[in-house]
Amino acid sequence: FTLSGGLLLSLMVCALIYHSLLNRHNVEREILRGLKNKEFFVEYQPVIDSKTLKVTGVEALLRWQHPIEGRIPPDVFIAYAENQGLIVELTRHMMILVAQDAHKMQHVFAEPGKLSINISPHHMEKVSFHDDVMNFIEALPENAFQVVFEITERGMIDTEGALREFNWLRRHKIEIAIDDFGTGHSALIYLEKFTLDYLKIDRGFVMSIDQKTLIAPVLDTVLKLTEELKLKTVAEGVETQQQAEYLRNHGVTYLQGYLYSKPLGIPVLLDFIRDFNEKESTYHI
Ligand code: C2E
Ligand code: MG
Ligand code: MG
Ligand code: MG
């Protein structure tokens, strides 16, 4: 699979670039300092319903503006935070910020907006997980959002643990999305075993639509499978009109990508959603 090869390479490049600042010895200190210094913030990427072409939700993405190194991509600092066990601190902090922003966002959606956040499988294993989640839910404006937790396929490795946590989350009305589907181990068996709500189709598959790469037929198979399993789908990294059309014609439920919008800070996001949802849907086709 060239997909995972490319991913590995880009992770290695990222790791090399950030070696200077974020090495094992000082990363813990840097993240804790950054948390105190309020260097972390959240951006939100709109998610579009492929039928109505309205923004029906957002994905919250964590950002780090380092005073010397500038923006450090989440792929980089989250990998470090996971190794150092700091992911719990980071996620708690991020949940506080998201809950605050949720109060500003609550009136922008016609129906309860879908509020997606990324959850590290490491966090799900921690004893504090349930408390962390409950604190978050209680800090949100009431009945204004449908919360979605995005978990990568790595989270499926500990099948029993994941199954138990997913059931707990669903009892608390939280929906579950498998993130970056197709980049992990793809032991497809979990699709049948777990009650999942969404499959997020990785950008690599979306790219294959225009580029007609070898994995292009795999996308069609995945879409047939999700239809069979009655799973909703989100295509990530949609960048071209051609991709959007293909995905809509093949029954993908939601679209997300630079074609519509990059991740935005709250004030710009609110304007974007209002403008976008006001326009006639044909405008965007
Ligand atoms: P992800 O959850 O798959 O998030 C989607 C990533 O794709 C985001 O990168 C987003 O900016 C980028 N993206 C969206 N549309 C397009 C597009 O059309 N083209 C391209 N080239 N890229 C697009 P970002 O924000 O750099 O995040 C990278 C990853 O970091 C996320 O992947 C997620 O796994 C992780 N991450 C971000 N925030 C958090 C967080 O709060 N907690 C955890 N555990 N992980 C996070
Ligand atoms: Mg995600
Ligand atoms: Mg993703
Ligand atoms: Mg991705």
Side-chain angles (χ1 to χ4, degrees):
F1 239 18
T2 52
L3 201 62
S4 51
L7 193 73
L8 191 67
L9 190 68
S10 55
L11 280 177
M12 281 164 63
V13 171
C14 284
L16 274 177
I17 292 171
Y18 291 96
H19 182 76
S20 57
L21 163 75
L22 292 180
N23 57 61
R24 274 184 297 119
H25 305 292
N26 66 8
V27 68
E28 181 163 4
R29 208 174 51 222
E30 275 300 303
I31 291 178
L32 288 170
R33 191 199 46 73
L35 279 169
K36 257 193 213 138
N37 208 24
K38 301 203 180 350
E39 288 163 15
F40 291 90
F41 61 101
V42 184
E43 287 186 330
Y44 301 86
Q45 188 173 35
V47 178
I48 284 93
D49 183 313
S50 80
K51 284 218 175 83
T52 62
L53 290 173
K54 303 283 180 202
V55 179
T56 51
V58 291
E59 176 178 6
L61 295 154
L62 194 55
R63 302 286 178 248
W64 186 5
Q65 184 68 42
H66 191 279
I68 296 158
E69 304 287 322
R71 280 254 192 143
I72 300 171
D75 287 330
V76 174
F77 68 79
I78 280 162
Y80 279 106
E82 282 180 333
N83 283 333
Q84 307 277 318
L86 277 170
I87 189 67
V88 176
E89 307 298 325
L90 270 182
T91 308
R92 269 187 207 139
H93 181 69
M94 128 124 192
M95 283 171 160
I96 292 170
L97 298 176
V98 172
Q100 285 167 358
D101 289 341
H103 286 268
K104 300 175 191 152
M105 262 192 262
Q106 59 176 320
H107 301 300
V108 89
F109 299 103
E111 287 168 39
K114 292 185 201 307
L115 182 56
S116 297
I117 67 172
N118 296 281
I119 295 293
S120 159
H122 291 95
H123 194 175
M124 281 202 303
E125 292 162 7
K126 296 283 183 325
V127 277
S128 72
F129 183 60
H130 293 181
D131 283 344
D132 294 337
V133 174
M134 291 314 286
N135 289 338
F136 174 57
I137 298 298
E138 279 157 21
L140 291 174
E142 237 176 291
N143 302 323
F145 293 97
Q146 169 62 60
V147 175
V148 182
F149 279 4
E150 299 190 3
I151 296 146
T152 57
E153 282 175 295
R154 270 179 308 124
M156 308 301 123
I157 294 170
D158 172 13
T159 342
E160 286 212 348
L163 192 60
R164 195 182 54 237
E165 290 315 314
F166 286 5
N167 287 336
W168 185 87
L169 290 170
R170 293 176 62 86
R171 279 204 301 282
H172 291 84
K173 309 244 170 357
I174 294 168
E175 291 191 315
I176 295 153
I178 298 306
D179 205 350
D180 299 337
F181 178 79
T183 59
H185 300 275
S186 298
L188 292 170
I189 194 78
Y190 65 71
L191 290 182
E192 234 186 350
K193 214 165 178 170
F194 296 137
T195 332
L196 303 167
D197 300 285
Y198 309 88
L199 208 68
K200 292 197 78 166
I201 297 159
D202 191 71
R203 193 163 72 88
F205 286 119
V206 173
M207 275 161 41
S208 77
I209 296 169
D210 292 345
Q211 300 173 354
K212 308 238 172 349
T213 61
L214 273 177
I215 62 162
V218 182
L219 174 62
D220 295 345
T221 311
V222 169
L223 293 177
K224 275 194 200 108
L225 185 68
T226 53
E227 200 187 332
E228 204 74 32
L229 294 166
K230 304 214 170 8
L231 272 172
K232 291 174 275 187
T233 42
V234 186
E236 54 177 39
V238 180
E239 292 184 354
T240 70
Q241 227 23 279
Q242 193 190 339
Q243 291 167 346
E245 254 156 62
Y246 186 94
L247 295 161
R248 294 181 76 204
N249 291 337
H250 286 75
V252 168
T253 337
Y254 298 98
L255 307 169
Q256 180 181 357
Y258 295 166
L259 175 64
Y260 302 101
S261 174
K262 62 184 182 50
L264 303 169
I266 270 289
V268 182
L269 175 82
L270 296 181
D271 285 342
F272 175 86
I273 298 178
R274 285 196 196 100
D275 286 356
F276 194 95
N277 285 359
E278 255 169 38
K279 285 171 188 150
E280 274 304 307
S281 60
T282 46
Y283 179 92
H284 300 289
I285 298 173

